[in-house]
Amino acid sequence: MDIEHCRHLRGHNGAINCIRFTHDGSYCMTAGEDKQVCLFNPFKDGAHESTASPPSSSSSSSSSCSSSTEMVKQKDDESLLIKTYAGAHGYAVLALDISLDNNHFVSAGYDRCAFYWDVTTAQPIRRFQNNSSQSSGTGGSQHSTNRINTVKLNGVDNSLCFTGSYDKTLSVWDLRNRNSSVPVQTLTDFRDSISKIALTNHEIVASCIDGALYIYDLRMGLMYRDTIETETGLNRRKSPLVSCSISASNELILTNCLGSEGQTDAPGTLCVTEKRSGKLLKSFIGHQNIAYGTESGFLFNDTYVCTGSEDGSLVVYDLVKGANTNANANANTNAMQAFGVHGAGVASLCLSSCDGSDVSHSQAPHPLLPQESVVTNTHISRSCHVVTSAYNGEASLWKLTRT
């Protein structure tokens, strides 16, 4: 596999905590420590408006001074910064998600608020305030009172917003009811902070710092808790889960397990489990993840997985062979955290439409799954784009090509 660095995305004054592509794959949004959300066209060279006033003439009788606006081209390796969304958040923005029609997005962070924005007007439409403490009484409100780590919009009609918080609660908000200030439902089964939320048509999947995946089957009204254990030398241990994503087939779950500081044999692990049984199918060690909530995702119709590393590299693993592709690339020496993918047929981490040459394949079972499990999405792209961010406030656009 070839990895090509395409452009830098610059617009934040601080670390970038989250990156998401729009669902048509044309644009991407970033959320940062500077309390802002930025909208980029990562595939177009950057330019910005510069307002310059012409020099005044002493002989001029006019007291007014006109100004002119011109487009000034940025560096060749910079992507186009289209718009900045600011003024709503009072603290760092940790998470965002974009609606299916690309007209709205939701953002959340340290100020315990989630904002539902209009993309065109750059104004927040709704504000979800977590202002009630957990109550042990039967009638008390139990929605979040701490920072919001992750947000997700349901992809069908954007009628619901899901927020996962530091105080071990997952709240569901009704976007259509403008008069409601409380969530329609709050899930309190978690034993620690919620790190990431992923959705299917009828399931809520959440990763937790307690080392477990929580899967809520809304059709059956059931909740499954799968503990992920990683190997450290001869021992097996339960590691904090800092992210999760779902494969294109909706059969596999990819989780990032935090490693142990000071232990070279436990720098961080990617685990692939079967959603239906909770069985661990593959685990990958070779990247560094001991301090940050690094994200990851499936590539090329679930045949590869990709993640960032705290040494500043982008790491790609072959899911079928269970090995590092050795196609790692370094953008800088800062730890990579946020991760967004634009490729074919992937449903997690805002993967969207296909890019490059496409190949149509007949339906076939995934090599890691039982023979009766059939991959329904068979449109495979030979190349895809990945955007990663580092703690120096700079994001990078990469092109990954199958060889």
Side-chain angles (χ1 to χ4, degrees), residues 23-66:
H23 288 270
D24 60 1
S26 301
Y27 305 92
C28 72
M29 305 189 79
T30 59
E33 289 284 329
D34 57 0
K35 315 170 194 176
Q36 298 185 121
V37 175
C38 294
L39 174 64
F40 291 92
N41 184 339
F43 309 106
K44 187 175 182 180
D45 288 335
H48 66 274
E49 288 186 354
S50 176
T51 302
S53 299
S56 59
S57 173
S58 58
S59 61
S60 175
S61 59
S62 174
S63 60
S64 62
C65 182
S66 62

Tab-separated table of all heavy atoms in Angstrom, residues 23-66:
chain	number	residue	atom	x	y	z
A	23	HIS	N	-20.782	13.738	4.536
A	23	HIS	CA	-21.173	12.412	4.042
A	23	HIS	C	-21.015	12.260	2.535
A	23	HIS	O	-21.050	11.139	2.035
A	23	HIS	CB	-22.607	12.105	4.473
A	23	HIS	CG	-22.722	11.830	5.946
A	23	HIS	ND1	-22.593	10.573	6.484
A	23	HIS	CD2	-22.910	12.654	6.992
A	23	HIS	CE1	-22.716	10.624	7.799
A	23	HIS	NE2	-22.911	11.883	8.139
A	24	ASP	N	-20.865	13.369	1.809
A	24	ASP	CA	-20.562	13.241	0.388
A	24	ASP	C	-19.064	13.261	0.127
A	24	ASP	O	-18.623	13.134	-1.015
A	24	ASP	CB	-21.249	14.346	-0.419
A	24	ASP	CG	-20.800	15.737	0.004
A	24	ASP	OD1	-19.948	15.852	0.909
A	24	ASP	OD2	-21.320	16.715	-0.565
A	25	GLY	N	-18.266	13.419	1.193
A	25	GLY	CA	-16.829	13.334	1.078
A	25	GLY	C	-16.150	14.555	0.505
A	25	GLY	O	-14.941	14.529	0.269
A	26	SER	N	-16.878	15.655	0.285
A	26	SER	CA	-16.298	16.828	-0.360
A	26	SER	C	-15.586	17.759	0.622
A	26	SER	O	-14.663	18.481	0.239
A	26	SER	CB	-17.382	17.621	-1.099
A	26	SER	OG	-18.002	16.819	-2.072
A	27	TYR	N	-16.031	17.763	1.868
A	27	TYR	CA	-15.492	18.683	2.857
A	27	TYR	C	-15.226	17.922	4.155
A	27	TYR	O	-15.687	16.795	4.344
A	27	TYR	CB	-16.477	19.838	3.126
A	27	TYR	CG	-16.890	20.594	1.888
A	27	TYR	CD1	-18.036	20.232	1.173
A	27	TYR	CD2	-16.142	21.667	1.422
A	27	TYR	CE1	-18.419	20.910	0.035
A	27	TYR	CE2	-16.518	22.366	0.285
A	27	TYR	CZ	-17.659	21.979	-0.411
A	27	TYR	OH	-18.038	22.646	-1.546
A	28	CYS	N	-14.496	18.579	5.051
A	28	CYS	CA	-14.315	18.008	6.376
A	28	CYS	C	-14.333	19.124	7.407
A	28	CYS	O	-14.086	20.294	7.087
A	28	CYS	CB	-13.022	17.198	6.470
A	28	CYS	SG	-11.504	18.172	6.490
A	29	MET	N	-14.648	18.764	8.646
A	29	MET	CA	-14.726	19.718	9.745
A	29	MET	C	-13.798	19.260	10.864
A	29	MET	O	-13.623	18.063	11.091
A	29	MET	CB	-16.161	19.858	10.263
A	29	MET	CG	-17.164	20.229	9.209
A	29	MET	SD	-18.808	20.643	9.862
A	29	MET	CE	-18.511	22.325	10.409
A	30	THR	N	-13.225	20.230	11.559
A	30	THR	CA	-12.308	19.949	12.655
A	30	THR	C	-12.743	20.714	13.894
A	30	THR	O	-13.260	21.838	13.800
A	30	THR	CB	-10.868	20.350	12.288
A	30	THR	OG1	-10.836	21.758	11.982
A	30	THR	CG2	-10.368	19.555	11.099
A	31	ALA	N	-12.548	20.119	15.063
A	31	ALA	CA	-12.869	20.748	16.344
A	31	ALA	C	-11.608	20.824	17.179
A	31	ALA	O	-10.829	19.859	17.223
A	31	ALA	CB	-13.945	19.954	17.074
A	32	GLY	N	-11.402	21.961	17.863
A	32	GLY	CA	-10.126	22.148	18.524
A	32	GLY	C	-10.189	22.705	19.925
A	32	GLY	O	-11.251	23.072	20.447
A	33	GLU	N	-9.006	22.785	20.536
A	33	GLU	CA	-8.853	23.338	21.871
A	33	GLU	C	-9.127	24.837	21.902
A	33	GLU	O	-9.327	25.411	22.975
A	33	GLU	CB	-7.432	23.074	22.378
A	33	GLU	CG	-7.139	21.621	22.719
A	33	GLU	CD	-7.760	21.197	24.041
A	33	GLU	OE1	-7.890	22.042	24.934
A	33	GLU	OE2	-8.111	20.019	24.178
A	34	ASP	N	-9.121	25.492	20.754
A	34	ASP	CA	-9.338	26.937	20.696
A	34	ASP	C	-10.819	27.307	20.688
A	34	ASP	O	-11.172	28.435	20.335
A	34	ASP	CB	-8.647	27.528	19.478
A	34	ASP	CG	-9.095	26.881	18.167
A	34	ASP	OD1	-9.936	25.969	18.223
A	34	ASP	OD2	-8.584	27.276	17.110
A	35	LYS	N	-11.703	26.351	21.042
A	35	LYS	CA	-13.155	26.561	21.165
A	35	LYS	C	-13.841	26.768	19.814
A	35	LYS	O	-14.954	27.274	19.759
A	35	LYS	CB	-13.475	27.758	22.076
A	35	LYS	CG	-12.687	27.836	23.355
A	35	LYS	CD	-12.911	29.160	24.050
A	35	LYS	CE	-11.898	29.396	25.144
A	35	LYS	NZ	-12.041	30.718	25.769
A	36	GLN	N	-13.192	26.384	18.734
A	36	GLN	CA	-13.715	26.628	17.399
A	36	GLN	C	-13.900	25.337	16.618
A	36	GLN	O	-13.258	24.320	16.902
A	36	GLN	CB	-12.771	27.547	16.618
A	36	GLN	CG	-12.591	28.918	17.223
A	36	GLN	CD	-11.740	29.804	16.340
A	36	GLN	OE1	-12.169	30.863	15.895
A	36	GLN	NE2	-10.515	29.379	16.088
A	37	VAL	N	-14.759	25.425	15.607
A	37	VAL	CA	-14.930	24.372	14.613
A	37	VAL	C	-14.633	24.987	13.254
A	37	VAL	O	-15.128	26.075	12.932
A	37	VAL	CB	-16.356	23.793	14.637
A	37	VAL	CG1	-16.551	22.787	13.510
A	37	VAL	CG2	-16.649	23.136	15.982
A	38	CYS	N	-13.806	24.322	12.455
A	38	CYS	CA	-13.408	24.837	11.146
A	38	CYS	C	-13.924	23.930	10.037
A	38	CYS	O	-13.912	22.707	10.170
A	38	CYS	CB	-11.893	24.957	11.043
A	38	CYS	SG	-11.157	26.188	12.141
A	39	LEU	N	-14.367	24.542	8.943
A	39	LEU	CA	-14.830	23.828	7.750
A	39	LEU	C	-13.791	23.993	6.655
A	39	LEU	O	-13.424	25.114	6.282
A	39	LEU	CB	-16.182	24.369	7.287
A	39	LEU	CG	-16.735	23.833	5.964
A	39	LEU	CD1	-17.024	22.335	6.047
A	39	LEU	CD2	-18.004	24.592	5.566
A	40	PHE	N	-13.299	22.855	6.108
A	40	PHE	CA	-12.266	22.855	5.079
A	40	PHE	C	-12.763	22.164	3.819
A	40	PHE	O	-13.618	21.276	3.878
A	40	PHE	CB	-11.015	22.097	5.552
A	40	PHE	CG	-10.237	22.766	6.645
A	40	PHE	CD1	-10.497	22.475	7.974
A	40	PHE	CD2	-9.225	23.664	6.344
A	40	PHE	CE1	-9.771	23.079	8.989
A	40	PHE	CE2	-8.483	24.258	7.344
A	40	PHE	CZ	-8.760	23.972	8.672
A	41	ASN	N	-12.204	22.578	2.695
A	41	ASN	CA	-12.201	21.763	1.486
A	41	ASN	C	-10.798	21.186	1.381
A	41	ASN	O	-9.877	21.870	0.902
A	41	ASN	CB	-12.543	22.577	0.247
A	41	ASN	CG	-12.624	21.715	-1.001
A	41	ASN	OD1	-12.076	20.616	-1.064
A	41	ASN	ND2	-13.315	22.216	-2.021
A	42	PRO	N	-10.586	19.962	1.839
A	42	PRO	CA	-9.220	19.436	1.917
A	42	PRO	C	-8.592	19.141	0.565
A	42	PRO	O	-7.375	18.965	0.470
A	42	PRO	CB	-9.390	18.154	2.738
A	42	PRO	CG	-10.787	17.732	2.487
A	42	PRO	CD	-11.582	18.990	2.305
A	43	PHE	N	-9.406	19.107	-0.504
A	43	PHE	CA	-8.899	18.749	-1.824
A	43	PHE	C	-8.575	19.965	-2.686
A	43	PHE	O	-8.149	19.816	-3.828
A	43	PHE	CB	-9.914	17.866	-2.550
A	43	PHE	CG	-10.372	16.687	-1.734
A	43	PHE	CD1	-11.627	16.663	-1.157
A	43	PHE	CD2	-9.524	15.618	-1.517
A	43	PHE	CE1	-12.048	15.589	-0.392
A	43	PHE	CE2	-9.934	14.534	-0.750
A	43	PHE	CZ	-11.196	14.520	-0.187
A	44	LYS	N	-8.774	21.168	-2.135
A	44	LYS	CA	-8.553	22.383	-2.903
A	44	LYS	C	-7.485	23.229	-2.229
A	44	LYS	O	-7.420	23.317	-1.010
A	44	LYS	CB	-9.866	23.175	-3.006
A	44	LYS	CG	-9.799	24.375	-3.934
A	44	LYS	CD	-11.168	25.016	-4.065
A	44	LYS	CE	-11.122	26.206	-5.030
A	44	LYS	NZ	-12.456	26.832	-5.170
A	45	ASP	N	-6.649	23.864	-3.064
A	45	ASP	CA	-5.610	24.737	-2.520
A	45	ASP	C	-6.235	25.889	-1.753
A	45	ASP	O	-7.264	26.452	-2.156
A	45	ASP	CB	-4.740	25.295	-3.654
A	45	ASP	CG	-3.836	24.229	-4.248
A	45	ASP	OD1	-3.535	23.260	-3.526
A	45	ASP	OD2	-3.441	24.358	-5.409
A	46	GLY	N	-5.575	26.269	-0.656
A	46	GLY	CA	-6.116	27.298	0.204
A	46	GLY	C	-5.915	28.692	-0.333
A	46	GLY	O	-4.984	28.993	-1.071
A	47	ALA	N	-6.842	29.578	0.053
A	47	ALA	CA	-6.751	31.007	-0.247
A	47	ALA	C	-7.547	31.747	0.798
A	47	ALA	O	-8.492	31.209	1.376
A	47	ALA	CB	-7.284	31.316	-1.649
A	48	HIS	N	-7.176	32.968	1.088
A	48	HIS	CA	-7.920	33.750	2.056
A	48	HIS	C	-8.082	35.172	1.550
A	48	HIS	O	-7.328	35.658	0.719
A	48	HIS	CB	-7.214	33.758	3.416
A	48	HIS	CG	-5.890	34.459	3.402
A	48	HIS	ND1	-4.732	33.808	3.041
A	48	HIS	CD2	-5.542	35.736	3.688
A	48	HIS	CE1	-3.710	34.650	3.121
A	48	HIS	NE2	-4.179	35.830	3.502
A	49	GLU	N	-9.117	35.840	2.068
A	49	GLU	CA	-9.385	37.196	1.643
A	49	GLU	C	-8.477	38.176	2.381
A	49	GLU	O	-8.280	38.057	3.590
A	49	GLU	CB	-10.844	37.569	1.906
A	49	GLU	CG	-11.821	36.888	0.990
A	49	GLU	CD	-13.231	37.385	1.183
A	49	GLU	OE1	-13.445	38.184	2.104
A	49	GLU	OE2	-14.101	36.979	0.402
A	50	SER	N	-7.927	39.139	1.660
A	50	SER	CA	-7.094	40.178	2.251
A	50	SER	C	-7.653	41.537	1.857
A	50	SER	O	-7.830	41.822	0.665
A	50	SER	CB	-5.646	40.045	1.770
A	50	SER	OG	-4.860	41.107	2.273
A	51	THR	N	-7.976	42.329	2.852
A	51	THR	CA	-8.520	43.657	2.593
A	51	THR	C	-7.407	44.675	2.701
A	51	THR	O	-6.795	44.824	3.765
A	51	THR	CB	-9.628	43.997	3.600
A	51	THR	OG1	-10.639	43.010	3.514
A	51	THR	CG2	-10.229	45.362	3.306
A	52	ALA	N	-7.125	45.362	1.610
A	52	ALA	CA	-6.040	46.338	1.568
A	52	ALA	C	-6.581	47.713	1.215
A	52	ALA	O	-7.428	47.855	0.311
A	52	ALA	CB	-4.991	45.920	0.534
A	53	SER	N	-6.121	48.717	1.903
A	53	SER	CA	-6.528	50.092	1.634
A	53	SER	C	-5.494	50.758	0.751
A	53	SER	O	-4.297	50.684	1.026
A	53	SER	CB	-6.668	50.876	2.948
A	53	SER	OG	-7.655	50.295	3.760
A	54	PRO	N	-5.915	51.425	-0.304
A	54	PRO	CA	-4.953	52.095	-1.186
A	54	PRO	C	-4.298	53.257	-0.479
A	54	PRO	O	-4.890	53.847	0.413
A	54	PRO	CB	-5.826	52.556	-2.359
A	54	PRO	CG	-7.199	52.688	-1.775
A	54	PRO	CD	-7.301	51.613	-0.750
A	55	PRO	N	-3.076	53.595	-0.827
A	55	PRO	CA	-2.400	54.714	-0.171
A	55	PRO	C	-3.134	56.019	-0.424
A	55	PRO	O	-3.592	56.292	-1.525
A	55	PRO	CB	-1.014	54.709	-0.823
A	55	PRO	CG	-1.190	54.012	-2.130
A	55	PRO	CD	-2.242	52.993	-1.888
A	56	SER	N	-3.259	56.837	0.639
A	56	SER	CA	-3.974	58.108	0.530
A	56	SER	C	-3.104	59.139	-0.145
A	56	SER	O	-1.887	59.169	0.016
A	56	SER	CB	-4.379	58.596	1.919
A	56	SER	OG	-3.230	58.760	2.724
A	57	SER	N	-3.716	59.994	-0.890
A	57	SER	CA	-2.999	61.050	-1.606
A	57	SER	C	-3.262	62.378	-0.932
A	57	SER	O	-4.400	62.705	-0.580
A	57	SER	CB	-3.437	61.086	-3.069
A	57	SER	OG	-2.867	62.190	-3.723
A	58	SER	N	-2.195	63.143	-0.722
A	58	SER	CA	-2.345	64.442	-0.065
A	58	SER	C	-3.122	65.423	-0.912
A	58	SER	O	-3.707	66.389	-0.415
A	58	SER	CB	-0.968	65.027	0.257
A	58	SER	OG	-0.215	65.154	-0.944
A	59	SER	N	-3.130	65.169	-2.229
A	59	SER	CA	-3.843	66.070	-3.130
A	59	SER	C	-5.300	65.704	-3.289
A	59	SER	O	-6.062	66.418	-3.947
A	59	SER	CB	-3.163	66.080	-4.503
A	59	SER	OG	-3.195	64.782	-5.063
A	60	SER	N	-5.685	64.598	-2.714
A	60	SER	CA	-7.065	64.157	-2.858
A	60	SER	C	-7.959	64.999	-1.986
A	60	SER	O	-7.663	65.271	-0.831
A	60	SER	CB	-7.188	62.683	-2.470
A	60	SER	OG	-8.526	62.288	-2.488
A	61	SER	N	-9.073	65.434	-2.535
A	61	SER	CA	-10.024	66.253	-1.802
A	61	SER	C	-11.022	65.428	-1.026
A	61	SER	O	-11.802	65.964	-0.247
A	61	SER	CB	-10.765	67.190	-2.775
A	61	SER	OG	-11.447	66.421	-3.759
A	62	SER	N	-11.040	64.135	-1.276
A	62	SER	CA	-12.009	63.265	-0.601
A	62	SER	C	-11.476	62.875	0.756
A	62	SER	O	-10.313	62.537	0.910
A	62	SER	CB	-12.272	62.008	-1.442
A	62	SER	OG	-13.079	61.116	-0.745
A	63	SER	N	-12.314	62.928	1.762
A	63	SER	CA	-11.927	62.564	3.120
A	63	SER	C	-12.120	61.094	3.410
A	63	SER	O	-11.674	60.592	4.432
A	63	SER	CB	-12.730	63.391	4.138
A	63	SER	OG	-14.115	63.141	3.970
A	64	SER	N	-12.857	60.412	2.545
A	64	SER	CA	-13.105	58.991	2.742
A	64	SER	C	-12.030	58.179	2.058
A	64	SER	O	-11.453	58.600	1.066
A	64	SER	CB	-14.490	58.610	2.199
A	64	SER	OG	-14.539	58.848	0.817
A	65	CYS	N	-11.808	56.985	2.590
A	65	CYS	CA	-10.767	56.105	2.048
A	65	CYS	C	-11.403	54.787	1.663
A	65	CYS	O	-11.989	54.103	2.520
A	65	CYS	CB	-9.667	55.888	3.079
A	65	CYS	SG	-8.307	54.862	2.472
A	66	SER	N	-11.351	54.433	0.409
A	66	SER	CA	-11.940	53.187	-0.058
A	66	SER	C	-10.987	52.037	0.191
A	66	SER	O	-9.799	52.222	0.398
A	66	SER	CB	-12.279	53.289	-1.555
A	66	SER	OG	-11.098	53.497	-2.292
